[in-house]
């Protein structure tokens, strides 16, 4: 998050507090009916001529100073007065005492320079370049004030409060003993500055905005009101749709902001809660872009098919000022959506367990955020649950953030998914259900077709999810077994067995006919009637293949036991080449010539690159940028 600018201090030259104000022109008396609305004809430029003493006169300007005064009186000041009136929804009298400002300046060029900075600003390319080089504003002084007022009066409630205190805006020079200051006196916004001192003697637009923020909490209130009207309802609707049941969301932003340790941190804290912070947005976009590019390159190396795939498109530029809580509530909602999408049983568990979500704040910049599931307030539920479902009903999820510390005091979507996984085993259950509902039945059908008889795959879960595995380790095992339609476990097995069986079918008739034997027979088809997939523990464990008897006596039917080291990830599984070699060793079948040499090397290299690409993608996906 970019550092907050410190609001300007309005003091006298002696540092003894606000100076005695110089004389302010008396306001024009209003009629008995009071102020007309901004839409009234009285609010038009022709009927709302601003005060610019000494600048009046119909004669064409004879020099630059006269020209600037004429422009100010006939063009700029009427337009600014109208914009102020429209911004505050009431007639505003704009008074710029040009003669009083420039008369004390004796140098003609200096007088023109002050006039230009007051009503014109940096216009030419050279002037703008010089202003940028000096980190100075290119806007005219009056324009900066008008823009600031327009910015802070966007929210109707803030506008009403400001309009109640401001009916006039006057610009006056500082007396020699004063320093620049902005104040509200007698329903008048008084802009007092040392115009002859250049940028150091006047206020920037940001400083004017700071004045209104310090006095009215203008931007903070605008954000909070927009969040309550636009952001929060849409997030609650998404949450209800994801969970399939109403969820009570309690988040009192004003109450949290009132607890900020530093008053000048309120706005930045509100931005952390409601909208994005610039630094977090840049980091997130950069990280996503980099990871997307690297993943595409890895996938291109790992698979020939993906070499022709177009590169990922860059994300569109985000909207200027979202109010969907991208640092706090949005990651929480997205995480719950992701978890509920894993399987309908997960969604049902979450709906039964989480009834209320409460967001609170720990004041200060210490990073001590917590996200805990509670049976009730003060009764946290310990994770992980032994059965993968918390033993509670209608619980409370309490998000205690350190929002005053910026986006660093918030939980990312990845953080929240990890916490939900510890309580509900969301992704693990999703992998297992997809494996047993889709992948295994499909593999059974393909193997049965090749074998010419019914074949079933049996998954021995007790050996795969052994006791003592952490939540993260269980998820790694489930992903290695079932990820991407079991890309690195069951799919290579089916492909390898199909190839070996077909090669034997092609070779056996010629071998047995030459030997004068009976009908051709395929030993793999004859002996294997079931396939068992098991797990083996250990960081150095290796996959293996073996035949185990299914029954006692003369029954020769066997089960093919495929043991994988899933705890090592996809590296603990055979690729197609290794599985074919292991299967042929069991039955004493020689590897065909066409599968040796260069072809075997290329196939092995492609499988190795696929595994490396999968591991890299997985590691980068765990980087918690979002």
């Amino acid at each position: 998050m970019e550092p907050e600018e410190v609001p300007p201090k309005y003091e006298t030259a002696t540092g003894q507090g606000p100076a005695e104000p110089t004389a302010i022109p008396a306001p024009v008396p209003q009629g008995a009916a009071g102020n007309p609305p901004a839409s009234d004809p009285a609010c038009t430029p022709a009927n709302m001529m601003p005060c610019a003493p000494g600048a009046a006169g119909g004669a064409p300007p004879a020099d630059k100073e006269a020209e600037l005064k004429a422009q100010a009186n006939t063009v700029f000041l009427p337009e600014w007065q109208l914009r102020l009136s429209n911004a505050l929804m009431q007639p505003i009298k704009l008074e710029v005492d040009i003669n009083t400002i420039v008369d004390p300046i004796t140098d003609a060029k200096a007088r023109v320079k002050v006039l230009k900075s007051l009503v014109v600003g940096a216009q030419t390319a050279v002037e703008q370049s010089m202003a940028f080089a000096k980190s100075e504003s290119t806007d005219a002084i009056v324009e900066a004030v008008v823009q600031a007022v327009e910015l802070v009066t966007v929210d109707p409630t803030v506008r009403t409060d400001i309009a109640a205190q401001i009916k006039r805006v006057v610009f006056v020079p500082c007396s020699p003993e004063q320093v620049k200051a902005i104040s509200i006196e007698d329903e008048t916004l008084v802009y007092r500055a040392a115009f002859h001192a250049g940028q150091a003697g006047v206020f920037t637009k940001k400083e004017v905005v700071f004045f209104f923020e310090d006095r009215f909490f203008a931007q903070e209130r605008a954000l909070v009101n927009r969040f309550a009207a636009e952001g929060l309802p849409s997030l609650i609707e998404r949450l209800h749709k994801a969970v399939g049941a109403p969820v009570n969301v309690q988040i009192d932003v004003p109450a949290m902001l009132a607890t900020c340790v530093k008053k000048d941190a309120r706005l930045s804290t509100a931005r952390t809660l409601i909208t994005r912070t610039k630094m977090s947005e840049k980091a997130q976009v950069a990280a996503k872009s980099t990871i997307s590019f690297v993943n595409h390159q890895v996938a291109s190396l790992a698979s020939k098919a993906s070499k022709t795939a177009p590169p990922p498109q860059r994300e569109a530029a985000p909207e200027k000022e979202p109010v969907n809580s991208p640092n706090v509530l949005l990651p929480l909602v997205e995480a719950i959506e992701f978890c509920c999408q894993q399987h309908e049983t997960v969604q049902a568990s979450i709906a039964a367990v989480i009834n209320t979500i409460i967001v609170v704040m720990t004041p200060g910049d210490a990073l001590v955020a917590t996200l805990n599931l509670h049976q009730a307030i003060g009764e946290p539920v310990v994770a992980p649950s032994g059965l993968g479902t918390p033993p509670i009903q209608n619980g409370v999820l309490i998000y205690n953030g350190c929002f005053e510390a910026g986006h660093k005091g918030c939980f990312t979507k990845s953080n929240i998914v990890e916490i939900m996984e510890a309580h509900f085993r969301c992704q693990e259950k999703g992998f297992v259900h997809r494996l047993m509902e889709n992948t295994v039945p499909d593999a059974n059908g393909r193997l049965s077709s090749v074998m010419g008889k019914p074949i079933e795959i049996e998954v021995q879960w007790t050996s795969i999810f052994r006791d003592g595995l952490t939540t993260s380790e269980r998820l790694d095992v489930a992903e290695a077994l079932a990820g991407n339609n079991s890309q690195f476990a069951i799919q290579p097995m089916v492909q390898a067995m199909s190839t070996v069986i077909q090669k034997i079918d092609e070779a056996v008739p010629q071998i047995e006919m030459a030997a004068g034997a009976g009908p051709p027979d395929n030993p793999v088809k004859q002996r294997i009637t079931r396939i068992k997939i098991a797990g083996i523990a250990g960081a150095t464990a290796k996959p293996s293949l073996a035949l185990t008897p299914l029954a006692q006596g003369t029954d020769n039917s066997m089960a093919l036991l495929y043991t994988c080291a899933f705890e090592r990830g996809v590296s603990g599984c055979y690729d197609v080449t290794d599985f074919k070699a292991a299967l042929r060793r069991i039955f004493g079948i020689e590897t065909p010539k066409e599968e040796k040499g260069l072809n075997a090397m290329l196939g092995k290299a492609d499988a190795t690159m696929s595994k490396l690409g999968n591991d890299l993608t997985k590691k980068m996906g765990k980087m918690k940028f979002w």
Side-chain angles (χ1 to χ4, degrees), residues 30-49:
Q30 300 294 326
N35 294 327
S39 58
D40 191 282
C43 293
T44 61
N47 296 318
M48 292 177 56
M49 187 62 66

PDB file of all heavy atoms in Angstrom, residues 30-49:
ATOM      1  N   GLN A  30     -28.720  37.500   0.957  1.00  0.00           N
ATOM      2  CA  GLN A  30     -29.667  36.670   0.229  1.00  0.00           C
ATOM      3  C   GLN A  30     -31.078  37.220   0.436  1.00  0.00           C
ATOM      4  O   GLN A  30     -31.369  37.910   1.410  1.00  0.00           O
ATOM      5  CB  GLN A  30     -29.600  35.216   0.727  1.00  0.00           C
ATOM      6  CG  GLN A  30     -28.238  34.577   0.562  1.00  0.00           C
ATOM      7  CD  GLN A  30     -27.860  34.416  -0.910  1.00  0.00           C
ATOM      8  OE1 GLN A  30     -28.724  34.167  -1.756  1.00  0.00           O
ATOM      9  NE2 GLN A  30     -26.592  34.584  -1.219  1.00  0.00           N
ATOM     10  N   GLY A  31     -31.927  36.865  -0.467  1.00  0.00           N
ATOM     11  CA  GLY A  31     -33.319  37.293  -0.350  1.00  0.00           C
ATOM     12  C   GLY A  31     -34.015  36.590   0.794  1.00  0.00           C
ATOM     13  O   GLY A  31     -33.491  35.657   1.393  1.00  0.00           O
ATOM     14  N   ALA A  32     -35.220  37.026   1.057  1.00  0.00           N
ATOM     15  CA  ALA A  32     -35.963  36.435   2.168  1.00  0.00           C
ATOM     16  C   ALA A  32     -36.264  34.981   1.924  1.00  0.00           C
ATOM     17  O   ALA A  32     -36.417  34.202   2.840  1.00  0.00           O
ATOM     18  CB  ALA A  32     -37.278  37.219   2.379  1.00  0.00           C
ATOM     19  N   ALA A  33     -36.351  34.616   0.646  1.00  0.00           N
ATOM     20  CA  ALA A  33     -36.679  33.216   0.329  1.00  0.00           C
ATOM     21  C   ALA A  33     -35.493  32.302   0.510  1.00  0.00           C
ATOM     22  O   ALA A  33     -35.622  31.098   0.384  1.00  0.00           O
ATOM     23  CB  ALA A  33     -37.208  33.112  -1.103  1.00  0.00           C
ATOM     24  N   GLY A  34     -34.315  32.862   0.791  1.00  0.00           N
ATOM     25  CA  GLY A  34     -33.123  32.024   0.979  1.00  0.00           C
ATOM     26  C   GLY A  34     -32.429  31.727  -0.331  1.00  0.00           C
ATOM     27  O   GLY A  34     -32.665  32.374  -1.357  1.00  0.00           O
ATOM     28  N   ASN A  35     -31.556  30.762  -0.307  1.00  0.00           N
ATOM     29  CA  ASN A  35     -30.764  30.427  -1.479  1.00  0.00           C
ATOM     30  C   ASN A  35     -31.587  29.627  -2.486  1.00  0.00           C
ATOM     31  O   ASN A  35     -32.226  28.643  -2.128  1.00  0.00           O
ATOM     32  CB  ASN A  35     -29.550  29.583  -1.072  1.00  0.00           C
ATOM     33  CG  ASN A  35     -28.592  30.392  -0.221  1.00  0.00           C
ATOM     34  OD1 ASN A  35     -28.463  31.591  -0.408  1.00  0.00           O
ATOM     35  ND2 ASN A  35     -27.936  29.727   0.713  1.00  0.00           N
ATOM     36  N   PRO A  36     -31.523  29.984  -3.759  1.00  0.00           N
ATOM     37  CA  PRO A  36     -32.224  29.192  -4.772  1.00  0.00           C
ATOM     38  C   PRO A  36     -31.441  27.920  -5.059  1.00  0.00           C
ATOM     39  O   PRO A  36     -30.253  27.854  -4.806  1.00  0.00           O
ATOM     40  CB  PRO A  36     -32.239  30.112  -5.992  1.00  0.00           C
ATOM     41  CG  PRO A  36     -31.012  30.960  -5.822  1.00  0.00           C
ATOM     42  CD  PRO A  36     -30.874  31.162  -4.338  1.00  0.00           C
ATOM     43  N   PRO A  37     -32.104  26.872  -5.604  1.00  0.00           N
ATOM     44  CA  PRO A  37     -31.381  25.647  -5.946  1.00  0.00           C
ATOM     45  C   PRO A  37     -30.437  25.874  -7.112  1.00  0.00           C
ATOM     46  O   PRO A  37     -30.557  26.862  -7.839  1.00  0.00           O
ATOM     47  CB  PRO A  37     -32.504  24.659  -6.320  1.00  0.00           C
ATOM     48  CG  PRO A  37     -33.639  25.535  -6.755  1.00  0.00           C
ATOM     49  CD  PRO A  37     -33.540  26.766  -5.892  1.00  0.00           C
ATOM     50  N   ALA A  38     -29.492  24.896  -7.311  1.00  0.00           N
ATOM     51  CA  ALA A  38     -28.492  25.044  -8.373  1.00  0.00           C
ATOM     52  C   ALA A  38     -29.135  25.085  -9.743  1.00  0.00           C
ATOM     53  O   ALA A  38     -28.571  25.619 -10.694  1.00  0.00           O
ATOM     54  CB  ALA A  38     -27.492  23.893  -8.298  1.00  0.00           C
ATOM     55  N   SER A  39     -30.338  24.483  -9.888  1.00  0.00           N
ATOM     56  CA  SER A  39     -30.999  24.463 -11.183  1.00  0.00           C
ATOM     57  C   SER A  39     -31.711  25.782 -11.503  1.00  0.00           C
ATOM     58  O   SER A  39     -32.217  25.978 -12.599  1.00  0.00           O
ATOM     59  CB  SER A  39     -32.012  23.310 -11.229  1.00  0.00           C
ATOM     60  OG  SER A  39     -32.957  23.449 -10.193  1.00  0.00           O
ATOM     61  N   ASP A  40     -31.785  26.679 -10.513  1.00  0.00           N
ATOM     62  CA  ASP A  40     -32.452  27.959 -10.681  1.00  0.00           C
ATOM     63  C   ASP A  40     -31.705  28.792 -11.717  1.00  0.00           C
ATOM     64  O   ASP A  40     -30.473  28.745 -11.787  1.00  0.00           O
ATOM     65  CB  ASP A  40     -32.490  28.698  -9.331  1.00  0.00           C
ATOM     66  CG  ASP A  40     -33.415  29.918  -9.400  1.00  0.00           C
ATOM     67  OD1 ASP A  40     -32.988  30.948  -9.948  1.00  0.00           O
ATOM     68  OD2 ASP A  40     -34.544  29.802  -8.898  1.00  0.00           O
ATOM     69  N   PRO A  41     -32.407  29.609 -12.528  1.00  0.00           N
ATOM     70  CA  PRO A  41     -31.716  30.477 -13.502  1.00  0.00           C
ATOM     71  C   PRO A  41     -30.698  31.392 -12.869  1.00  0.00           C
ATOM     72  O   PRO A  41     -29.746  31.815 -13.523  1.00  0.00           O
ATOM     73  CB  PRO A  41     -32.874  31.276 -14.123  1.00  0.00           C
ATOM     74  CG  PRO A  41     -34.085  30.412 -13.942  1.00  0.00           C
ATOM     75  CD  PRO A  41     -33.875  29.684 -12.649  1.00  0.00           C
ATOM     76  N   ALA A  42     -30.840  31.643 -11.592  1.00  0.00           N
ATOM     77  CA  ALA A  42     -29.873  32.522 -10.929  1.00  0.00           C
ATOM     78  C   ALA A  42     -28.505  31.889 -10.851  1.00  0.00           C
ATOM     79  O   ALA A  42     -27.532  32.567 -10.568  1.00  0.00           O
ATOM     80  CB  ALA A  42     -30.365  32.879  -9.525  1.00  0.00           C
ATOM     81  N   CYS A  43     -28.469  30.581 -11.067  1.00  0.00           N
ATOM     82  CA  CYS A  43     -27.186  29.875 -10.960  1.00  0.00           C
ATOM     83  C   CYS A  43     -26.442  29.829 -12.280  1.00  0.00           C
ATOM     84  O   CYS A  43     -25.406  29.187 -12.388  1.00  0.00           O
ATOM     85  CB  CYS A  43     -27.404  28.440 -10.458  1.00  0.00           C
ATOM     86  SG  CYS A  43     -28.009  28.380  -8.757  1.00  0.00           S
ATOM     87  N   THR A  44     -26.959  30.451 -13.309  1.00  0.00           N
ATOM     88  CA  THR A  44     -26.264  30.452 -14.596  1.00  0.00           C
ATOM     89  C   THR A  44     -25.123  31.441 -14.549  1.00  0.00           C
ATOM     90  O   THR A  44     -25.123  32.385 -13.752  1.00  0.00           O
ATOM     91  CB  THR A  44     -27.241  30.836 -15.718  1.00  0.00           C
ATOM     92  OG1 THR A  44     -27.743  32.142 -15.460  1.00  0.00           O
ATOM     93  CG2 THR A  44     -28.394  29.835 -15.801  1.00  0.00           C
ATOM     94  N   PRO A  45     -24.092  31.276 -15.422  1.00  0.00           N
ATOM     95  CA  PRO A  45     -22.939  32.182 -15.397  1.00  0.00           C
ATOM     96  C   PRO A  45     -23.326  33.646 -15.540  1.00  0.00           C
ATOM     97  O   PRO A  45     -22.736  34.517 -14.901  1.00  0.00           O
ATOM     98  CB  PRO A  45     -22.091  31.699 -16.580  1.00  0.00           C
ATOM     99  CG  PRO A  45     -22.484  30.265 -16.768  1.00  0.00           C
ATOM    100  CD  PRO A  45     -23.920  30.201 -16.385  1.00  0.00           C
ATOM    101  N   ALA A  46     -24.344  33.892 -16.362  1.00  0.00           N
ATOM    102  CA  ALA A  46     -24.703  35.295 -16.594  1.00  0.00           C
ATOM    103  C   ALA A  46     -25.248  35.963 -15.347  1.00  0.00           C
ATOM    104  O   ALA A  46     -25.071  37.162 -15.136  1.00  0.00           O
ATOM    105  CB  ALA A  46     -25.737  35.376 -17.725  1.00  0.00           C
ATOM    106  N   ASN A  47     -25.941  35.192 -14.500  1.00  0.00           N
ATOM    107  CA  ASN A  47     -26.553  35.742 -13.291  1.00  0.00           C
ATOM    108  C   ASN A  47     -25.743  35.487 -12.030  1.00  0.00           C
ATOM    109  O   ASN A  47     -26.183  35.801 -10.943  1.00  0.00           O
ATOM    110  CB  ASN A  47     -27.965  35.164 -13.113  1.00  0.00           C
ATOM    111  CG  ASN A  47     -28.884  35.584 -14.242  1.00  0.00           C
ATOM    112  OD1 ASN A  47     -28.860  36.735 -14.659  1.00  0.00           O
ATOM    113  ND2 ASN A  47     -29.697  34.646 -14.747  1.00  0.00           N
ATOM    114  N   MET A  48     -24.579  34.859 -12.172  1.00  0.00           N
ATOM    115  CA  MET A  48     -23.751  34.542 -11.001  1.00  0.00           C
ATOM    116  C   MET A  48     -22.345  35.066 -11.229  1.00  0.00           C
ATOM    117  O   MET A  48     -21.371  34.358 -11.083  1.00  0.00           O
ATOM    118  CB  MET A  48     -23.713  33.023 -10.760  1.00  0.00           C
ATOM    119  CG  MET A  48     -25.040  32.439 -10.321  1.00  0.00           C
ATOM    120  SD  MET A  48     -24.944  30.655 -10.143  1.00  0.00           S
ATOM    121  CE  MET A  48     -23.601  30.526  -8.979  1.00  0.00           C
ATOM    122  N   MET A  49     -22.241  36.311 -11.665  1.00  0.00           N
ATOM    123  CA  MET A  49     -20.928  36.863 -11.978  1.00  0.00           C
ATOM    124  C   MET A  49     -20.070  36.911 -10.730  1.00  0.00           C
ATOM    125  O   MET A  49     -20.447  37.477  -9.721  1.00  0.00           O
ATOM    126  CB  MET A  49     -21.098  38.283 -12.545  1.00  0.00           C
ATOM    127  CG  MET A  49     -19.776  38.849 -13.059  1.00  0.00           C
ATOM    128  SD  MET A  49     -19.113  37.847 -14.419  1.00  0.00           S
ATOM    129  CE  MET A  49     -20.350  38.129 -15.668  1.00  0.00           C
TER     130      MET A  49
END
